[in-house]
Structure formats: C-alpha cells, structure tokens
Amino acid sequence: MNFPIRLALLASTAALSACAGTNTIRTSQNTAIVQASAAPVCGGIGAARVAQKQAAIETIKAGYDRYVIVGAAAADNVRVTQTPGSYQTTGMVSGGYLNATTTYQPGPTMVYGSHDQNFGIRMFHDGEPGASGAISARQTLGDKWQEMVKAGSVRTCAS
C-alpha cells in the first residue's frame, strides 16, 4: 500500500477515535436535553447515534431505567472548500516558435463543520406509568453499558 493511501487511512481512523462531543442539560428531575456534535466523517446518522447513546447514559446516571425522545432537532453545518491550486508552465523554443504547456494542479479539499443532533428526553423508572412504551437505556448501550456510563459521555460515532 502506498504512503498517501496509508496516511489517509490513518487520518480517518484517528478522526473516528475522537469525532464526537456531547452535552446534557437537565430541565427537570426526569427530563433533559441531550446535545451531540459529530465530525463530518460521522454524518447525520453518526450524530443521531451519539445522541441516542448519550440519552441512555444520562438516563442511567439520573437513576432511571428507560427514556422516551419527546423532541428532536438536527443541523448539518458541514462545508467543503477547495483551496487554490497551482499552475506549472513548461515550454520549448524551436526555430523561433514557443511551444508551451500549462498544467493546473487543484489544491486540496478541506472539509469542516459538524453534524449536530439534539434530543429532548423524558426518563422513567421501570414499572412507572408510561415506562412500558419507553426505550430501555441498558439495551440501547448493549453489553458494555456499565463501562459507557462510567465514562460518562460518548466520544466517537463508531458503533
């Protein structure tokens, strides 16, 4: 594998290892707003996945078992810009004539911004009215739910 491809794969892996951030605002004893922001490589689906996991973490941290998403909002703030390129002209003079070729090399493309997802959640204890239709926080997080709750926040959009 050549060097540029290896470098691109390494950069993609590094980007996915810390591509998301979260914030939670408690609005009452059993409600909260969960905010998630994910890198462009994650896409909107990655941002939603981060927000969903963070909602589950916050539910468990608050002492509840289940949650319902009661409101949602999303934003795509990703932008792509191509930087200026460069020109290279080469030529040859022969018999009083100039034969020249100009080649344009485009500049690199820069991707920046974020995909953002916000969820309003209502949390429930098992057995509480409304809990039967709510999502299990532990099931949302999977087998490693305890580790995720201990970490406190989701930092990657990779499953």
Side-chain angles (χ1 to χ4, degrees):
M1 187 180 305
N2 66 25
F3 181 73
I5 293 173
R6 230 183 276 167
L7 185 60
L9 287 173
L10 181 61
S12 296
T13 303
L16 284 174
S17 66
C19 66
T22 59
N23 183 46
T24 302
I25 303 163
R26 292 291 298 270
T27 54
S28 74
Q29 184 177 350
N30 63 347
T31 61
I33 297 170
V34 176
Q35 300 172 321
S37 184
V41 69
C42 295
I45 293 170
R49 186 177 296 125
V50 169
Q52 180 184 25
K53 288 182 180 183
Q54 191 64 39
I57 289 170
E58 293 301 326
T59 298
I60 295 169
K61 284 172 53 177
Y64 292 88
D65 306 297
R66 300 176 168 277
Y67 68 96
V68 172
I69 297 171
V70 295
D76 175 356
N77 301 307
V78 176
R79 303 292 178 261
V80 179
T81 302
Q82 183 157 8
T83 59
S86 61
Y87 293 91
Q88 181 176 355
T89 302
T90 56
M92 186 166 141
V93 176
S94 176
Y97 293 99
L98 172 64
N99 185 6
T101 303
T102 300
T103 305
Y104 175 71
Q105 177 68 42
T109 303
M110 293 175 33
V111 180
Y112 58 95
S114 64
H115 293 278
D116 303 312
Q117 180 73 55
N118 295 346
F119 288 156
I121 62 169
R122 161 80 161 79
M123 300 172 280
F124 296 89
H125 294 290
D126 281 334
E128 181 180 339
S132 63
I135 299 166
S136 167
R138 287 169 184 78
Q139 284 181 351
T140 297
L141 297 174
D143 294 337
K144 297 184 179 183
W145 69 267
Q146 291 168 320
E147 293 172 26
M148 295 178 81
V149 171
K150 184 177 180 182
S153 65
V154 182
R155 295 281 179 223
T156 179
C157 60
S159 309

